[in-house]
């Protein structure tokens, strides 16, 4: 309740079309009912990450319905958006004289989850551009934070591709690098002064 920032990686659309779940649960297709959006407000969420690979499980209309709800709520978001231009924008947050800049992107897809000029979705990762953006932010005295939807594996040890990509961003100067994809709890480390949570 006293946290300055409550970050949530929201991977599902809040839509009226979301059915009541009935077992057996055979498909990995996810959504949430709009009334449950209140939970985000209840827990004080104020930074929503939209890099997840289930954002488009119920299609473009459901995703845009969720985006309208999110925008109406006034909760800040990043890593995804109503179109590609919106999805690639980092989120700047001022706090007691500190300016944090949140970057987020999706590496594995699937392709239908990536935002385009005409459709909403997650920000597709461009590692070269992301490294440059983090380095640029540092020159202005801002504090870069990077979060990924990376490849998934149910194991404690991060995969080598995770380590390479996330450590690279830490070495570029991101003070926090965090993965939002793990299906099992994964390790964490420091790279220089940067905190990396795989």
């Amino acid at each position: 309740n006293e946290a300055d920032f409550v970050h949530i990686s929201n991977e599902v659309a809040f839509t009226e079309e979301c059915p009541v779940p009935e077992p057996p649960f055979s498909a990995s297709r996810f959504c949430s009912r709009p009334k449950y959006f209140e939970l985000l407000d209840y827990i004080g969420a104020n930074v929503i990450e939209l890099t997840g690979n289930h954002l488009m499980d119920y299609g473009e209309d459901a995703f845009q319905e969720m985006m309208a709800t999110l925008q109406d709520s006034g909760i800040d978001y990043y890593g995804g958006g109503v179109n590609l231009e919106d999805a690639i924008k980092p989120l700047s947050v001022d706090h007691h004289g500190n300016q944090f800049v949140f970057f987020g992107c999706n590496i594995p897809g699937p392709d239908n989850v990536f935002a385009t000029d005409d459709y909403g979705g997650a920000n597709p990762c461009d590692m070269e551009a992301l490294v440059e953006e983090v380095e640029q932010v540092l020159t202005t005295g801002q504090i870069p934070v990077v979060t990924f939807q990376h490849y998934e594996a149910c194991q404690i040890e991060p995969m080598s591709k995770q380590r390479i990509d996330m450590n690279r961003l830490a070495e570029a100067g991101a003070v926090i690098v965090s993965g939002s994809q793990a299906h099992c709890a994964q390790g964490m480390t420091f790279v220089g002064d940067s905190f990396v949570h795989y």
Side-chain angles (χ1 to χ4, degrees):
N1 289 335
E2 296 179 8
D4 294 319
F5 300 108
V6 177
H7 162 271
I8 298 290
S9 176
N10 178 61
E11 263 199 76
V12 301
F14 288 83
T15 175
E16 294 287 353
E17 302 302 315
C18 190
V20 175
E22 295 181 6
F25 305 111
S26 58
S28 295
R29 188 170 180 234
F30 304 113
C31 63
S32 188
R33 292 183 162 199
K35 67 181 180 179
Y36 300 131
F37 192 87
E38 297 173 15
L39 177 61
L40 298 179
D41 184 53
Y42 178 76
I43 64 173
N46 52 10
V47 177
I48 303 296
E49 176 188 343
L50 297 173
T51 64
N53 55 9
H54 289 283
L55 289 171
M56 305 305 287
D57 280 5
Y58 279 79
E60 176 72 11
D61 290 345
F63 177 78
Q64 295 294 352
E65 180 184 341
M66 185 266 297
M67 288 303 301
T69 302
L70 184 58
Q71 291 169 334
D72 289 345
S73 75
I75 300 175
D76 291 325
Y77 65 90
Y78 73 101
V82 297
N83 54 37
L84 183 59
E85 181 181 8
D86 190 36
I88 64 176
K89 289 188 303 191
L91 170 64
S92 294
V93 179
D94 291 314
H95 183 68
H96 293 296
N98 299 304
Q99 187 171 45
F100 295 87
V101 182
F102 291 85
F103 298 93
C105 62
N106 178 305
I107 289 179
D111 288 345
N112 76 317
V113 81
F114 294 140
T116 68
D117 291 339
D118 300 315
Y119 295 98
N123 177 25
C125 284
D126 179 338
M127 286 297 293
E128 301 305 320
L130 188 54
V131 167
E132 290 179 11
E133 288 181 279
V134 166
E135 291 173 342
Q136 175 60 32
V137 161
L138 281 174
T139 67
T140 64
Q142 298 171 307
I143 303 167
V145 175
V146 179
T147 61
F148 282 107
Q149 178 81 16
H150 213 294
Y151 291 103
E152 301 166 350
C154 194
Q155 60 189 51
I156 295 171
E157 302 83 7
M159 295 179 290
S160 61
K161 182 64 173 159
Q162 283 176 274
R163 289 195 305 272
I164 291 167
D165 288 342
M166 297 172 86
N167 292 5
R168 183 178 180 195
L169 270 296
E171 290 164 358
V175 296
I176 298 172
V177 182
S178 180
S180 300
Q181 75 291 327
H183 285 190
C184 298
Q186 289 191 310
M188 57 193 83
T189 190
F190 284 92
V191 175
D193 292 330
S194 299
F195 177 62
V196 178
H197 196 314
Y198 297 107

